[in-house]
Amino acid sequence: MTNDQVYELIARKLSGEATPDELKALDLHLKNEPELAHQAELLDLYFYQPAPVKTDTDEKSRAWENLRSKLNGEFPDEYPVKSLASKSIRPAIFIQYRSWIAAAASVLLIVSLAVFYSGWRNRHNISASLAISKKAFIELKTEKGTRLSKVLPDGTKVWLNGDSYLSYNSDFGKSKRDITLVGEAFFDVAHNASVPLTVHAKDVNILVTGTAFNVKSYSGNNKVETALLRGSVEVSRQSQPEQVVKLKPNEKITIDIDDPAPASSREVLPIGKTTERNGVSSVKYHIEGLKESSVANMIPEVSWVKNVLLFDNEPFGEVIDKMEKWYNVDIQVQNEELMSRRFSGVFKDENIVQAVEALQIIIPLQYEQHGKTIIIR
């Protein structure tokens, strides 16, 4: 879906003319495009903002004069007072007629402002928050081969694995605790029963109050994994909020997001794989127990938090995928027979060459290195 198509769907949504299928398609697309999702939320905020109380011309002029003065004080080049003070300008966002054309105009206005803001932010080296937004979002991002840890404003500790993206509201912990994740992260959540924390990963919501757990949800993969070490979590899908899976400590749930189906009532699902209602497939998921690896005294799902890359009888394809993110390399496998093999091992201080040579001891393979590209035959 192109950006033009996305903005057209957003406009149709704001005007109330989007079909259920269009809304679903838009929602699924935005799950994998955090930046577009953020822009869409801003559009919702402004399009549905209540119209201001009517005031006379002098009051409106004084209000806009004050705003222009404040902006001029911070950014005189972008907001010269003289050129703007003489005009009574009413923001387009206060238009009361919410037809499709008005919605499209609002989209174009906000997108234009967002583009302008991007360059404006770089020139002034300010933090990532839109001046037009009532809410700002803090973003964390890691490249392949890097990891980071951070303490969030509420005291929650988060570790972000390589090639991952995470965002949360700037007033995190005050009235809500929402986190959007693409990639992999481990959370040690500060307990706050009155303000539960929710992690959004693709079409999956993980609701907690205070616990320690790992979430894996990389783009290009149709599965979302949640491994719980301590406390409890409630897992559900945005397309099926009525169905809730409660996870217990030392359990891991893997959800297949390819099978949305409507549900009629809220329920707690038993441990199992695929559930059915009236012969119609419901949420596809599998729960298994967490256990320490046979090659190291740690749980493979969370070993990366301790800077240890651990495999325990894993398919060679998954091993390669993890190694690419861990070492920031491109590994090309030209021997299809290797993909059916399984591998167990642990890497900590080894570089990429040492890691591949360790594989070579266990699995018969040949390799070539060309910069950051590894070719395995």
Side-chain angles (χ1 to χ4, degrees), residues 6 8 24 32 41 50 73 75 82 167 176 178 206 261 267 344 362:
V6 171
E8 180 178 348
K24 180 180 177 181
N32 294 318
E41 184 170 352
F75 311 105
K82 290 183 179 180
S167 68
K176 62 186 299 184
D178 278 0
I206 302 105
E267 60 180 337
S344 294
I362 301 173

Side-chain angles (χ1 to χ4, degrees), residues 110-264:
I110 301 300
V111 171
S112 299
L113 288 175
V115 172
F116 164 78
Y117 163 77
S118 179
W120 174 63
R121 180 183 65 182
N122 292 335
R123 292 197 303 273
H124 293 278
N125 193 28
I126 64 172
S127 61
S129 59
L130 287 175
I132 61 171
S133 176
K134 290 185 176 180
K135 296 191 299 183
F137 292 85
I138 310 300
E139 300 177 346
L140 303 177
K141 185 177 182 180
T142 56
E143 303 296 334
K144 290 182 179 180
T146 65
R147 287 163 292 282
L148 66 80
S149 61
K150 182 178 179 61
V151 179
L152 303 185
D154 69 330
T156 292
K157 299 177 182 178
V158 59
W159 289 257
L160 199 61
N161 206 349
D163 194 23
S164 299
Y165 167 90
L166 180 150
S167 68
Y168 57 94
N169 47 299
S170 60
D171 58 347
F172 186 84
K174 295 180 180 179
S175 60
K176 62 186 299 184
R177 296 193 289 177
D178 278 0
I179 292 175
T180 298
L181 171 68
V182 177
E184 184 170 20
F186 180 85
F187 302 90
D188 191 347
V189 181
H191 183 78
N192 187 343
S194 61
V195 185
L197 181 147
T198 302
V199 177
H200 306 279
K202 291 189 174 74
D203 186 33
V204 175
N205 294 334
I206 302 105
L207 177 67
V208 302
T209 54
T211 184
F213 64 104
N214 192 80
V215 179
K216 184 177 180 181
S217 175
Y218 279 102
S219 59
N221 191 308
N222 65 347
K223 299 185 184 299
V224 177
E225 298 179 4
T226 302
L228 178 64
L229 271 66
R230 185 183 69 249
S232 64
V233 300
E234 292 185 2
V235 183
S236 63
R237 292 185 58 181
Q238 294 182 21
S239 58
Q240 298 167 280
E242 299 84 359
Q243 298 191 40
V244 179
V245 179
K246 289 187 176 180
L247 213 59
K248 295 183 295 186
N250 294 318
E251 286 184 342
K252 168 183 156 182
I253 183 171
T254 302
I255 296 180
D256 188 334
I257 65 169
D258 280 346
D259 185 37
S264 59

Side-chain angles (χ1 to χ4, degrees), residues 48-78:
Y48 293 112
Q49 185 178 29
V53 178
K54 292 184 178 180
T55 58
D56 59 38
T57 302
D58 291 339
E59 290 176 332
K60 286 190 289 187
S61 298
R62 285 195 296 271
W64 277 102
E65 185 68 34
N66 291 336
L67 176 59
R68 302 296 182 186
S69 298
K70 291 180 180 179
L71 291 172
N72 174 263
E74 290 290 333
F75 311 105
D77 293 335
E78 281 78 7

Side-chain angles (χ1 to χ4, degrees), residues 233 235 242-248 251-255 265-277 282-288:
V233 300
V235 183
E242 299 84 359
Q243 298 191 40
V244 179
V245 179
K246 289 187 176 180
L247 213 59
K248 295 183 295 186
E251 286 184 342
K252 168 183 156 182
I253 183 171
T254 302
I255 296 180
S265 61
R266 181 179 178 87
E267 60 180 337
V268 177
L269 299 180
I271 293 176
K273 293 186 178 179
T274 302
T275 62
E276 293 187 356
R277 179 185 294 105
S282 184
V283 175
K284 287 183 178 180
Y285 71 96
H286 175 70
I287 294 180
E288 58 187 306

